[in-house]
Amino acid sequence: MEELEALRRRCLNCRECPLSEQRRHVVFGVGRADAELMFIGEGPGEQEDLTGEPFVGPAGRLLDDMLELIDLHRSQVYIANVVKCRPPRNRDPLGEEQNACRHWLDGQLALVRPKIVVCLGRIAAAAYIKPDFKITREHGVWFDVDGVRAMAIYHPSALLRDVSKRPETFTDLRELRRTARELCQHLYS
Ligand code: URA
């Protein structure tokens, strides 16, 4: 889609917050411009900063495995982040950085128009679903965000650190597949 490509090109030149000073690449997002399912992560890590692609490091490999568990491939969905430039030493993005970057994510959401959004981890859930999101209590729960069905699951990096969270995530993923089959015309057809 031309508009999404135009947005990407503008984003690649963004200097709206200090994260732009140390970045090697802007990590805009990848996937189908008409994806029915969008994943939102927190922000680029080292491998993503080096390549310009979201979720290509260890967390990304686990995300690919999680997609495979529900019979999906990243080429069928859209993957974005709350901030498009890597925070130093992978610290959480600051509120100011998230606010400065927010219009890029809003642009992606407005153009892709997913039916379902899955937030990866607390930072993305707090940015997209509600500011006081409690990931331990509210992962796997459906919310309505401006008419879009939204859920958060544990961030793949959290699942790499703490394997005891994986069974709950497996349950959440199965619930995601069930709802995606119901709401998305093309994903499982
Ligand atoms: N973690 C994220 O939140 N996003 C990425 O793109 C990579 C790791």
Side-chain angles (χ1 to χ4, degrees), residues 16-19 42 82-83 87 91-103 122-123 126-127 131:
E16 289 165 34
C17 92
L19 292 183
E42 180 176 321
V82 172
V83 295
R91 65 155 169 72
D92 291 352
L94 305 175
E96 303 95 89
E97 294 159 353
Q98 294 187 40
N99 291 341
C101 210
R102 178 65 195 225
H103 68 102
R122 177 185 61 83
I123 299 274

Side-chain angles (χ1 to χ4, degrees), residues 108-123:
Q108 289 168 306
L109 285 159
L111 292 171
V112 178
R113 303 208 303 130
K115 297 217 166 59
I116 299 177
V117 167
V118 175
C119 296
L120 300 168
R122 177 185 61 83
I123 299 274

Side-chain angles (χ1 to χ4, degrees), residues 92-165:
D92 291 352
L94 305 175
E96 303 95 89
E97 294 159 353
Q98 294 187 40
N99 291 341
C101 210
R102 178 65 195 225
H103 68 102
W104 300 118
L105 178 63
D106 285 340
Q108 289 168 306
L109 285 159
L111 292 171
V112 178
R113 303 208 303 130
K115 297 217 166 59
I116 299 177
V117 167
V118 175
C119 296
L120 300 168
R122 177 185 61 83
I123 299 274
Y128 182 70
I129 299 177
K130 54 174 184 157
D132 61 345
F133 198 92
K134 297 279 180 290
I135 192 76
T136 44
R137 272 214 308 271
E138 295 177 300
H139 69 84
V141 176
W142 288 112
F143 291 82
D144 183 295
V145 180
D146 304 326
V148 177
R149 208 68 76 85
M151 158 199 290
I153 62 177
Y154 284 115
H155 193 287
S157 303
L159 299 172
L160 288 172
R161 284 193 302 270
D162 181 358
V163 292
S164 74
K165 293 188 165 83

Side-chain angles (χ1 to χ4, degrees), residues 38-53:
M38 186 187 288
F39 289 85
I40 303 176
E42 180 176 321
E46 186 181 21
Q47 291 305 312
E48 292 76 21
D49 181 52
L50 283 170
T51 59
E53 287 255 333

